[in-house]
Amino acid sequence: MSLPLDSDLLRTFLAVADTGNLTRAADTVRRTQSAVSMQVRKLEDLIGLPLFERHSRGVVLTAQGRRLVDNARRIVALLDDTAAAMRLPALAGTVRIGIPEEYVNSTLPKALGSFAAIHPNVEVTVQQGHSMSNLASLEAGEIDIAVVFEPGGRTRNEVLMVDPTVWATSDQHGTHERRPVPVATYTYYEGGWCDDLAMRSLKKRRMESRVAYVSRTSSGLIAAVVSGLAIAPLSRSAIPPGCRELTEEDGFGIIDMSNVVLRTRREERSATVDAMADAIRRAFGAG
């Protein structure tokens, strides 16, 4: 027998999951705290499982709650996309996107999925590349939208998110405890701007290291970290399951603060390009 899950209950559940606090969640969904608490209890009663553990400072998801989060986000996003599709005229034409590898399998599918639901007749082309190549393609008129990394701090460009570059290690292998510490790098990769900063951060801490793995892609660095072969400089959002960020407590710390920036062509803008830019903003949580 199917569960009659109400979208309002799922939205409230997500607000509580994201804030970790009933009061802040109530502000998000514009309800009273008691109403939010009642909706959470109603959802737990419908599912028959506890979704949160209550603590003095707030709530945290149970294992069952973590299972529900991703599906709840997809359901709510689909409902929102469907509502938008009914309100807005469907666009046509083409849009070309350049995006770093870090977001091809995470944020980009969210943007493309919501966009395709509203504008199924638009032809979308995606170019995976590092920031310098994406910017060059944008300036040459080869793509319409570029998502690129910039150094952290003030910028005249539109910032989608701040995504620090950090050292990542495997949870299981204790790779960061070896000396000299084995490191995976982008060495020999033109445009591998984080190498100097990463290695400089180790020298600053007087940490002996050796290059154990060289890759032209972040997926190669991730493979080195997951396998326990080396630690690697990764965008915080790109750290895979089974791995973690090395913090100051581990003797490492943040390598660099990076802005993830949205750039579009100044000329020949279209409603189609603007709509895709909006979808990308929402996927990054900046819309």
Side-chain angles (χ1 to χ4, degrees):
M1 184 175 179
S2 61
L3 294 174
L5 296 180
D6 184 280
S7 63
D8 282 343
L9 298 183
L10 293 179
R11 291 180 193 277
T12 299
F13 163 73
L14 289 174
V16 177
D18 291 340
T19 62
N21 183 282
L22 293 177
T23 301
R24 290 197 294 269
D27 292 338
T28 300
V29 298
R30 298 182 181 180
R31 295 177 182 271
T32 64
Q33 180 177 336
S34 60
V36 167
S37 181
M38 287 179 60
Q39 285 196 310
V40 170
R41 284 198 298 271
K42 182 176 181 181
L43 183 59
E44 290 178 324
D45 289 342
L46 283 171
I47 294 176
L49 296 167
L51 300 175
F52 294 100
E53 293 178 358
R54 277 71 173 176
H55 298 282
S56 59
R57 294 185 178 181
V59 297
V60 294
L61 288 166
T62 63
Q64 294 85 356
R66 291 192 295 272
R67 287 178 59 194
L68 179 60
V69 163
D70 288 341
N71 284 329
R73 291 196 198 283
R74 284 194 290 267
I75 292 168
V76 169
L78 181 58
L79 289 171
D80 290 343
D81 292 342
T82 301
M86 298 302 294
R87 290 195 302 267
L88 299 175
L91 298 171
T94 62
V95 60
R96 302 162 298 175
I97 307 166
I99 192 166
E101 181 186 11
E102 284 84 347
Y103 306 112
V104 166
N105 294 316
S106 55
T107 310
L108 184 62
K110 300 176 186 176
L112 296 183
S114 63
F115 185 84
I118 303 172
H119 309 292
N121 296 323
V122 174
E123 180 181 320
V124 180
T125 303
V126 177
Q127 168 184 299
Q128 175 185 308
H130 57 79
S131 295
M132 293 182 67
S133 66
N134 286 337
L135 284 175
S137 295
L138 186 70
E139 293 173 2
E142 296 168 354
I143 59 176
D144 306 297
I145 299 173
V147 175
V148 300
F149 288 110
E150 284 187 356
R154 298 181 64 180
T155 176
R156 295 181 179 179
N157 297 311
E158 179 181 353
V159 177
L160 295 170
M161 68 179 297
V162 177
D163 201 359
T165 302
V166 299
W167 287 106
T169 189
S170 166
D171 280 334
Q172 298 181 352
H173 297 89
T175 314
H176 61 287
E177 297 173 352
R178 302 173 194 164
R179 294 295 180 272
V181 61
V183 175
T185 78
Y186 289 110
T187 305
Y188 311 127
Y189 169 46
E190 184 179 355
W193 56 270
C194 78
D195 271 358
D196 288 343
L197 290 172
M199 301 310 291
R200 199 180 305 159
S201 73
L202 295 181
K203 291 179 181 178
K204 184 178 179 180
R205 295 170 185 271
R206 298 180 180 179
M207 190 173 296
E208 188 179 357
S209 64
R210 65 179 181 85
V211 175
Y213 190 96
V214 175
S215 175
R216 289 180 175 269
T217 65
S218 61
S219 60
L221 300 192
I222 289 173
V225 174
V226 171
S227 66
L229 181 64
I231 66 171
L234 296 175
S235 298
R236 179 178 284 164
S237 66
I239 297 176
C243 300
R244 69 175 179 88
E245 174 183 345
L246 290 168
T247 65
E248 293 286 349
E249 293 180 357
D250 300 300
F252 290 81
I254 293 174
I255 297 170
D256 186 45
M257 298 299 293
S258 300
N259 292 331
V260 183
V261 169
L262 178 70
R263 299 279 296 272
T264 58
R265 296 179 64 193
R266 295 180 181 178
E267 66 281 351
E268 300 181 20
R269 289 280 294 275
S270 68
T272 300
V273 171
D274 288 343
M276 176 57 81
D278 285 340
I280 291 173
R281 291 185 187 99
R282 291 194 298 272
F284 274 96

